[in-house]
Amino acid sequence: MCECCGGESAVRMVLLGAPGAGKGTQASAMQQRWGLVHVASGDLLRDNVKNDTELGRKAKPYMEAGELVPDDLILDMMEERLARPDAQSGFVLDGFPRTLAQAEALDARLETMGQRLDAVIYLRVSEEEILRRLSGRLICPQCHAVYHADTMPPKRPGVCDRCGTALVQRSDEDPEVVRKRLQVYEEQTAPLVEYYRSRGLLHEVDGAIGVDRVLAKIASILEAAAKRVGAREPQ
Ligand code: AP5
């Protein structure tokens, strides 16, 4: 039984929202509290860059410029990740899909497996709040935990609470690059809000409230979705 919503199996969900909306923070909390599998395309790409893989070398210039990595590279990477055993009974997708082509490819993949998404959570946050958040964000390059220098500081300055690794700032937090990422989000990713709304999967959540309150709202959405699925299943 799923620990977050009480459904028969773990959920398959997407977290959608602008850079800095809190997707990684919420997905990580869901993994910690409920054991859901957190799949973050940005973390996978950053690991590839750190390990100097062929994918990392191809993706790096796009990431540093605040542009999207081409769909074919992302789709191969996500296909490989979602085929791993831990993702078979559910996942939280963070940063993927990000284009209509990626959303359609995800739908097609799930359909061939006889699966579907249970919910898409759209975290809504103002641009002013996003700029404030991204200017103070610190991340753990080892376990991917996310902090904020002022509002969510680690217990020991500069050190990850979970694994003790030295925290770093991301290389795409330069104000020019952040502006580019926000522009790219509006042009290429925001249309997914309507894509998922028209499929009856979209749930909007105010992402500007505290982390725990956002998580509680997501839990109640997933609980309601699990009840709807239960009601549809033959007895
Ligand atoms: P990615 O790593 O996915 O970055 P992003 O989508 O721009 O999102 P962020 O990680 O910046 O923000 P977030 O929403 O996770 O916020 P967070 O929880 O950290 O992508 C990076 C790059 O990789 C892209 O630009 C692209 O080049 C490439 N890429 C990745 N996926 C791709 C794809 N599918 N297709 C093509 N290219 C792809 O929170 C931010 C800060 O706010 C933190 O400091 C946190 O502590 C704080 N915070 C969070 N929630 C709250 C709250 N409720 N209250 C107060 N503070 C909060």
Side-chain angles (χ1 to χ4, degrees), residues 192-202:
L192 295 187
V193 170
E194 287 314 315
Y195 177 87
Y196 286 120
R197 201 194 307 275
S198 69
R199 282 157 180 72
L201 287 169
L202 194 84

Side-chain angles (χ1 to χ4, degrees), residues 4-229:
C4 62
C5 64
E8 285 303 307
S9 58
V11 292
R12 291 181 185 85
M13 62 174 287
V14 169
L15 285 176
L16 197 58
K23 303 179 297 292
T25 300
Q26 292 301 324
S28 172
M30 288 184 231
Q31 181 170 43
Q32 292 268 304
R33 300 210 192 161
W34 304 324
L36 297 185
V37 174
H38 173 192
V39 178
S41 49
D43 287 343
L44 292 171
L45 289 168
R46 279 183 288 279
D47 286 345
N48 274 280
V49 171
K50 190 170 80 180
N51 297 328
D52 197 27
T53 66
E54 192 185 342
L55 169 60
R57 284 193 292 276
K58 285 182 183 162
K60 192 174 176 193
Y62 295 99
M63 296 172 75
E64 287 186 341
E67 286 166 9
L68 293 186
V69 175
D71 284 338
D72 56 337
L73 297 179
I74 295 291
L75 290 173
D76 286 350
M77 176 183 83
M78 294 305 289
E79 175 62 37
E80 189 276 322
R81 178 63 188 89
L82 293 178
R84 288 193 218 154
D86 67 342
Q88 300 319 301
S89 54
F91 46 70
V92 182
L93 296 179
D94 154 16
F96 175 87
R98 232 174 168 103
T99 62
L100 282 173
Q102 292 179 18
E104 285 164 359
L106 175 64
D107 284 349
R109 182 188 195 278
L110 291 173
E111 200 177 321
T112 57
M113 310 282 289
Q115 299 169 349
R116 67 189 295 277
L117 287 174
D118 298 298
V120 175
I121 308 286
Y122 167 42
L123 296 175
R124 220 176 343 95
V125 179
S126 69
E127 189 168 322
E128 191 188 1
E129 170 70 4
I130 283 170
L131 294 174
R132 192 186 64 75
R133 286 183 182 183
L134 294 186
S135 65
R137 173 166 58 185
L138 296 167
I139 61 159
C140 173
Q142 186 62 32
C143 73
H144 307 303
V146 183
Y147 301 87
H148 189 281
D150 305 322
T151 57
M152 254 182 276
K155 292 191 183 95
R156 278 174 55 211
V159 179
C160 180
D161 294 346
R162 287 195 210 155
C163 69
T165 302
L167 301 176
V168 295
Q169 276 199 303
R170 272 172 43 174
S171 60
D172 59 356
E173 306 291 45
D174 171 89
E176 267 307 294
V177 179
V178 168
R179 259 193 293 281
K180 179 70 185 173
R181 285 165 57 205
L182 288 169
Q183 182 198 338
V184 167
Y185 169 79
E186 284 304 326
E187 288 168 4
Q188 301 195 51
T189 308
L192 295 187
V193 170
E194 287 314 315
Y195 177 87
Y196 286 120
R197 201 194 307 275
S198 69
R199 282 157 180 72
L201 287 169
L202 194 84
H203 302 270
E204 283 195 42
V205 172
D206 179 0
I209 56 179
V211 173
D212 286 343
R213 288 176 62 203
V214 174
L215 190 62
K217 283 192 185 292
I218 294 174
S220 61
I221 289 167
L222 294 179
E223 212 175 313
K227 280 194 191 126
R228 275 199 305 279
V229 172

